Amino acid sequence: VLDGPTNFGPDGGGRNYVPRNYSGRFHGVISIRQALAMSLNVPAVKTLREVGIDEAIEMAHRLGITTLNDRNRYGLSLVIGGGEVTLLDETSGFSVFANDGKRNPVDPILKIVDKDNKIIRENSPKNMPVLDPQIARKINSILSDNKSRTPIFGPNNKLFIPGRTVAAKTGTTQEFRDAWTVGFTPHIAVGVWAGNNNNRSMRPGADGSFVAAPIWNKFMSQVLPQYPDDTFLAYEKSDSKAVPKVAAKSQYKITYYRKSNKKKISEKKAKSMKPEKVIQKIEVVSSEPFSAEGNFIDKKPVF
């Protein structure tokens, strides 16, 4: 998918919707794996455009999300935080990935016993299939791939726990009102939300990786020794001949300009400057297997 400046047309307020990545930078043609692992906004919006908003909301409900019920309120920004969900629902939804595509309704009661230790009620897993196991396994593979997220988060980020297999995703809403981190292993799913109860903005830079992820990391580091260090089940890889290749780096180029005077600058200089002071122009030299607008030509993405 092409991660570059994209105008998705008028939003609900009549203004053109042109989302940006959190860093303010674009990365050209990348794989779906890289886009999700690095938490890039533009590829996410393009993916929702291909999938469809109604279909995405239906899937969210299947995963256990109980909000997002007024379809008319949501547009393409839904995929990057444009809809309200609860921390409990979000964590429950991620647990479906951990459970190989099967959902267990949220229940705070594990067991009730009387004074004689007789079981009055005991929670038993329902394991309702709601997602193709192969899709769940691909998501697990991507979200546990520390190498793919490293260009944005760094190698020693708080989503990485040395010696353990964990999958995790951060999130941040507009104006730093909400910071999220949800992660899991094959045995446990944990979610963390950070923000103000009155919905006021936190300090600039208070995103999911800096505010919520350290809490998540510390908790997981404490509880994981109680669980086996199992790895996620591997997904079945498609025949390489049937899957389109992602365009190589030589098939696009990025040119950088100083915003103040529109003069061309080097990539090294651009990366040393604040994102808001740099203009990136991405030129696609070859459009295979994606169009110049970054639309999928073949619906089979490369993982």
Side-chain angles (χ1 to χ4, degrees), residues 184-198:
F184 54 91
T185 73
H187 300 283
I188 183 174
V190 175
V192 174
W193 171 86
N196 292 311
N197 288 337
N198 59 5

Side-chain angles (χ1 to χ4, degrees), residues 149-267:
R149 75 166 70 99
T150 292
I152 294 294
F153 293 88
N156 297 314
N157 57 80
K158 293 300 182 180
L159 304 183
F160 175 67
I161 298 178
R164 302 294 301 215
T165 300
V166 295
K169 181 72 177 66
T170 63
T172 310
T173 58
Q174 288 286 87
E175 300 176 349
F176 303 102
R177 297 180 188 276
D178 306 273
W180 299 75
T181 296
V182 183
F184 54 91
T185 73
H187 300 283
I188 183 174
V190 175
V192 174
W193 171 86
N196 292 311
N197 288 337
N198 59 5
N199 201 35
R200 292 182 62 181
S201 298
M202 295 181 285
R203 294 179 180 179
D207 60 36
S209 63
F210 284 101
V211 179
I215 302 172
W216 178 87
N217 183 286
K218 187 172 183 178
F219 178 83
M220 291 292 275
S221 297
Q222 292 285 331
V223 302
L224 286 183
Q226 304 175 30
Y227 298 94
D229 184 20
D230 292 336
T231 58
F232 296 110
L233 295 174
Y235 63 89
E236 297 176 2
K237 296 187 177 181
S238 304
D239 181 355
S240 60
K241 294 181 180 179
V243 180
K245 300 295 183 181
V246 173
K249 287 186 177 181
S250 61
Q251 293 177 292
Y252 74 93
K253 65 178 181 179
I254 304 178
T255 307
Y256 301 89
Y257 299 87
R258 192 185 299 271
K259 192 171 185 178
S260 59
N261 56 18
K262 304 299 188 294
K263 287 187 176 181
K264 186 177 178 180
I265 56 177
S266 67
E267 179 180 2

Side-chain angles (χ1 to χ4, degrees), residues 63 132-133:
L63 295 178
D132 184 339

Side-chain angles (χ1 to χ4, degrees), residues 101-116:
K102 297 182 286 291
R103 176 174 173 256
N104 284 293
V106 174
D107 190 337
I109 298 174
L110 295 179
K111 183 189 292 187
I112 300 175
V113 297
D114 63 14
K115 61 183 179 62
D116 299 318

